[in-house]
């Protein structure tokens, strides 16, 4: 519904996804082909997990290594999941994402998932779903900065991901 204020800056969006399950490998490959036109829009891809949010850790690839961070943990305070997380409401409603180069691992005390990708650097956990920011098209002026012409990233894009589950510690599998 392009008449809705939520989608007023989105002219169109089309996508296709391909999911490959392997018989002998503990990995799932996902390819998303996206074609879109719009402004002031952020497009996120979600990968849901069933992990204990109150015990979640996140590891992000950084140049020449990996860094453990508390997940950029977005749980809307009104969500039932917020009762499971021992954080202040202001932290639960935080916005944004942590950068990572080509992979991120989210897990609890028992298991987790490595999400490897081809250079989509914005990751966050929201209500138990890994959200990956793939496109942004800001045209609004923020302070003295504004987006240069051609910064809208409209058109066709292909994204590739591999999901690799692990037990207890991502470094051991």
């Amino acid at each position: 519904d392009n008449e809705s204020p939520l989608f007023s800056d989105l002219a169109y969006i089309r996508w296709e996804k391909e999911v490959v399950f392997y018989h002998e490998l503990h990995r799932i490959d996902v390819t998303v082909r996206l074609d879109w036109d719009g402004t002031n829009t952020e497009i996120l891809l979600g990968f849901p997990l069933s992990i204990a949010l109150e015990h979640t850790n996140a590891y992000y690839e950084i140049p020449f290594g990996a860094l453990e961070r508390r997940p950029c943990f977005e749980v809307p305070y009104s969500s039932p999941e917020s009762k499971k997380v021992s954080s202040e409401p202001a932290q639960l409603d935080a916005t944004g994402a942590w950068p990572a180069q080509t992979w991120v691992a989210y897990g609890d005390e028992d298991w987790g998932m490595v999400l490897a990708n081809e250079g989509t650097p914005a990751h966050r956990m929201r209500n138990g779903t890994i959200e990956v920011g793939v496109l942004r098209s800001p045209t609004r002026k923020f302070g003295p900065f504004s987006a240069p012409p051609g910064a809208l990233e409209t058109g066709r894009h292909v994204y590739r991901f591999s999901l690799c589950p692990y037990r207890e510690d991502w470094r051991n599998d």
Side-chain angles (χ1 to χ4, degrees):
D1 177 15
N2 270 359
E3 302 306 315
S4 163
L6 182 63
F7 299 107
S8 62
D9 293 329
L10 183 62
Y12 70 86
I13 183 168
R14 295 178 197 93
W15 68 88
E16 169 187 319
K17 67 180 176 183
E18 174 185 331
V19 180
V20 178
F21 297 89
Y22 296 96
H23 181 66
E24 297 289 329
L25 296 176
H26 296 287
R27 184 178 91 204
I28 300 169
D29 289 341
V30 179
T31 301
V32 176
R33 292 171 187 83
L34 180 68
D35 184 14
W36 83 292
D37 184 16
T39 59
N40 301 317
T41 302
E42 180 180 21
I43 298 176
L44 303 165
L45 301 178
F47 298 90
L49 296 180
S50 180
I51 58 177
L53 296 178
E54 67 275 15
H55 300 292
T56 300
N57 289 317
Y59 300 88
Y60 298 79
E61 182 193 24
I62 61 170
F64 309 107
L67 181 65
E68 179 179 7
R69 292 182 173 134
R70 190 75 182 127
C72 186
F73 212 70
E74 296 195 20
V75 178
Y77 191 64
S78 60
S79 167
E81 294 295 328
S82 69
K83 310 313 182 260
K84 298 179 182 178
V85 181
S86 57
S87 295
E88 295 298 316
Q91 293 171 332
L92 292 174
D93 285 326
T95 59
W98 287 110
Q101 286 190 304
T102 58
W103 63 266
V104 64
Y106 288 97
D108 60 22
E109 297 167 328
D110 297 322
W111 83 283
M113 186 72 69
V114 173
L115 175 65
N117 64 78
E118 293 182 345
T120 50
H123 298 81
R124 67 181 174 211
M125 176 70 69
R126 185 181 190 98
N127 277 346
T129 297
I130 300 173
E131 292 184 344
V132 181
V134 293
L135 288 174
R136 292 185 62 211
S137 63
T139 58
R140 293 185 179 107
K141 188 170 183 165
F142 296 99
F145 304 104
S146 60
L152 299 180
E153 298 181 333
T154 59
R156 296 176 186 201
H157 301 271
V158 177
Y159 303 95
R160 291 181 181 86
F161 303 92
S162 288
L163 296 159
C164 305
Y166 63 87
R167 294 252 180 235
E168 297 176 8
D169 190 340
W170 62 273
R171 292 167 281 222
N172 295 334
D173 284 343

